[in-house]
Amino acid sequence: MEYFKNVPQIKYEGPKSNNPYAFKFYNPDEIIDGKPLKEHLRFSVAYWHTFTANGTDPFGAPTMQRPWDHFTDPMDIAKARVEAAFELFEKLDVPFFCFHDRDIAPEGETLRETNKNLDTIVAMIKDYLKTSKTKVLWGTANLFSNPRFVHGAATSCNADVFAYAAAQVKKALEITKELGGQNYVFWGGREGYETLLNTDMELELDNLARFLHMAVEYAKEIGFEGQLLIEPKPKEPTKHQYDFDAANVYAFLKKYDLDKYFKLNIEANHTTLAGHDFQHELRYARINNMLGSIDANMGDMLLGWDTDQFPTDIRMTTLAMYEVIKMGGFDKGGLNFDAKVRRASFEPEDLFLGHIAGMDAFAKGFKVAYKLVKDGVFDRFIEERYKSYREGIGAEIVNGKANFKTLEEYALNNPKIENKSGKQELLESILNQYLFSE
Ligand code: XUL
Ligand code: CO
């Protein structure tokens, strides 16, 4: 059965096209730096937003019209979603998708029954994967929707919940491996607290580390070779989430000797919620060799929550791809559209239009960023700006030859300090030149 009858195969038609069902900037086979664009960008569809989101918000009922709406049995809905998913993947020609265990199959009465439901759907997906060009970028476990996670999962005050979460991640690692997932993500939506008045922060953090060590051990035991990723987010749904931002997660991983096993999955909207630029978090992760993958979306600067919009801001996508190119490109990671169409964009076709918008924005961003890197635009400024560290006293500081006494002597005999302009306005206008002339 065809689920999205009104949507044709999406092809590249170029920037002059008026066809809403065509790419304007994303030409998947265009070779840049010896590699097709699709391999640079590694786009992924998020199963949850695309196939399970229904448009509910805290004030209103579902709005989405979906081609599986006529089914009532949760397993029939799950199966129809898989069929529809592979149709959408093929029509978009998208190389990857990501899923939570609970997106693909409904929970049963017991954990055993839930796992049985999962096995049925995983077998069905595995069958599709035999012939589909679309593969799994990452899998994850939903440890936040069910009320049992009210106090957290690995950081719950209730050890029975810790055990349940462990069983769930064990199974999620197994199915991610079975489906050939290239990464596995930990996002701790309920791993945090509402008030310190009832919280043993030290035990909760120790337990989170214990949980992650067990996951590392089990992944090794079953031969899962994918990359393990932690996705920082400062808040929402929890008031304070322990994986607050990249620097916070890095410090946590270092403290508990976990840094060699994990990288970060940086999500645009989470970075702004943490009070950072998207580029700041990508830069911080990159310079610490921790940048694994990206959840590609966009927030609304006037709202204080995670709006998960499709990314359409080319300045943002350019600066993000700048960091990815500087890192040497993705290894196992990619650009996962952790993005949902707006509640009022309720027609099934909007799912395609959202992805086309995002794919075009990142393709354009990639091309501009590639040119910026190739031309060494910012590198030359930065090199010049820090040149005092390549000679004289600066070189001594960098080489470890200076100390407070030698520096005092230098300062005492150096009566005139000269600073130079940082040229921010010039650099911003050069960036605009690249954005609008490329
Ligand atoms: C929530 C979020 C999640 C993770 C996976 O803000 O980003 O969807 O990406 O659990
Ligand atoms: Co995300």
Side-chain angles (χ1 to χ4, degrees):
M1 148 168 189
E2 193 178 11
Y3 288 82
F4 303 102
K5 287 199 188 71
N6 302 334
V7 182
Q9 183 67 36
I10 314 296
K11 298 205 184 89
Y12 171 72
E13 290 186 6
K16 298 218 163 67
S17 168
N18 291 322
N19 177 4
Y21 295 108
F23 297 119
K24 319 297 181 302
F25 300 105
Y26 178 55
N27 179 2
D29 298 316
E30 181 179 346
I31 304 288
I32 298 181
D33 205 17
K35 218 162 73 168
L37 203 46
K38 64 178 173 223
E39 286 177 29
H40 285 289
L41 297 167
R42 293 170 62 84
F43 287 132
S44 159
V45 170
Y47 205 95
W48 52 105
H49 288 312
T50 305
F51 305 108
T52 68
N54 60 14
T56 39
D57 74 8
F59 298 93
T63 58
M64 300 298 172
Q65 303 162 359
R66 295 293 178 251
W68 47 82
D69 283 347
H70 57 285
F71 289 110
T72 47
D73 180 311
M75 279 303 276
D76 288 339
I77 298 174
K79 288 175 189 166
R81 282 177 174 150
V82 173
E83 290 170 0
F86 279 90
E87 183 187 324
L88 179 137
F89 301 156
E90 198 177 317
K91 284 185 170 170
L92 280 172
D93 189 16
V94 69
F96 296 103
F97 73 100
C98 297
F99 67 96
H100 298 80
D101 48 1
R102 302 301 177 248
D103 310 332
I104 57 172
E107 288 202 54
E109 289 291 313
T110 62
L111 181 57
R112 269 197 190 82
E113 206 182 293
T114 302
N115 285 347
K116 218 174 116 221
N117 289 348
L118 256 182
D119 289 338
T120 305
I121 302 297
V122 165
M124 186 177 170
I125 294 178
K126 215 175 157 187
D127 228 37
Y128 269 96
L129 289 174
K130 281 186 200 145
T131 51
S132 170
K133 282 200 280 172
T134 306
K135 308 289 173 209
V136 173
L137 187 67
W138 50 261
T140 186
N142 178 330
L143 304 176
F144 43 89
S145 296
N146 191 291
R148 77 175 62 85
F149 299 117
V150 61
H151 300 304
T155 63
S156 173
C157 50
N158 183 347
D160 284 354
V161 177
F162 185 108
Y164 192 101
Q168 202 179 318
V169 171
K170 176 179 176 287
K171 180 76 179 168
L173 280 165
E174 290 163 9
I175 63 172
T176 302
K177 178 180 185 249
E178 192 168 350
L179 296 177
Q182 300 197 15
N183 306 266
Y184 183 90
V185 164
F186 292 84
W187 171 65
R190 305 261 176 214
E191 312 292 26
Y193 60 82
E194 297 299 329
T195 170
L196 286 173
L197 298 178
N198 67 12
T199 300
D200 184 341
M201 188 194 264
E202 198 175 3
L203 177 66
E204 291 200 2
L205 286 167
D206 287 351
N207 279 349
L208 182 56
R210 289 182 182 110
F211 191 91
L212 294 175
H213 271 292
M214 289 182 208
V216 168
E217 216 172 280
Y218 190 67
K220 204 167 144 203
E221 195 178 319
I222 62 171
F224 175 67
E225 283 170 5
Q227 172 69 59
L228 302 179
L229 299 166
I230 300 211
E231 183 176 322
K233 185 176 184 183
K235 57 188 164 193
E236 197 214 5
T238 311
K239 166 197 154 86
H240 177 96
Q241 277 165 222
Y242 290 133
D243 297 333
F244 197 92
D245 63 4
N248 185 290
V249 172
Y250 188 48
F252 169 87
L253 292 173
K254 280 264 180 205
K255 173 178 174 188
Y256 291 101
D257 244 341
L258 283 160
D259 53 303
K260 50 186 164 301
Y261 305 114
F262 289 88
K263 286 200 173 179
L264 302 179
N265 183 39
I266 302 291
E267 174 164 330
N269 206 162
H270 297 180
T271 68
T272 49
L273 285 181
H276 303 302
D277 270 347
F278 187 23
Q279 193 189 9
H280 164 96
E281 289 292 86
L282 295 171
R283 175 73 60 93
Y284 184 86
R286 169 168 80 78
I287 63 169
N288 287 295
N289 195 26
M290 293 298 281
L291 180 51
S293 199
I294 289 178
D295 269 8
N297 61 15
M298 183 170 90
D300 185 317
M301 290 307 162
L302 299 183
L303 300 175
W305 63 92
D306 197 11
T307 59
D308 282 340
Q309 287 163 235
F310 275 95
T312 51
D313 176 346
I314 303 225
R315 190 179 196 274
M316 182 196 87
T317 61
T318 298
L319 295 176
M321 291 322 288
Y322 184 84
E323 298 302 322
V324 173
I325 294 169
K326 279 289 202 180
M327 137 172 116
F330 289 119
D331 174 20
K332 292 180 168 154
L335 291 169
N336 171 48
F337 290 113
D338 192 351
K340 56 178 178 243
V341 287
R342 298 303 82 198
R343 185 166 184 265
S345 305
F346 46 73
E347 292 166 6
E349 293 77 16
D350 291 310
L351 293 173
F352 287 83
L353 300 174
H355 282 93
I356 292 168
M359 289 160 91
D360 268 337
F362 265 97
K364 177 74 180 164
F366 177 84
K367 290 187 210 181
V368 179
Y370 180 71
K371 190 102 199 335
L372 284 165
V373 172
K374 206 162 129 252
D375 293 353
V377 176
F378 303 124
D379 283 340
R380 269 185 285 113
F381 267 90
I382 290 172
E383 203 179 301
E384 173 68 16
R385 189 160 182 246
Y386 293 87
K387 76 166 189 244
S388 69
Y389 286 93
R390 290 196 297 275
E391 61 206 25
I393 194 71
E396 281 177 29
I397 293 170
V398 170
N399 298 335
K401 287 194 189 121
N403 58 43
F404 268 15
K405 281 186 277 178
T406 64
L407 291 171
E408 181 194 46
E409 169 147 356
Y410 179 86
L412 288 170
N413 294 308
N414 182 35
K416 198 156 178 271
I417 291 178
E418 265 181 68
N419 272 314
K420 286 200 176 131
S421 164
K423 295 267 190 291
Q424 181 170 338
E425 297 76 8
L426 171 64
L427 294 169
E428 283 175 347
S429 72
I430 294 175
L431 174 59
N432 280 347
Q433 262 181 298
Y434 272 75
L435 282 168
F436 296 111
S437 61
E438 285 312 310

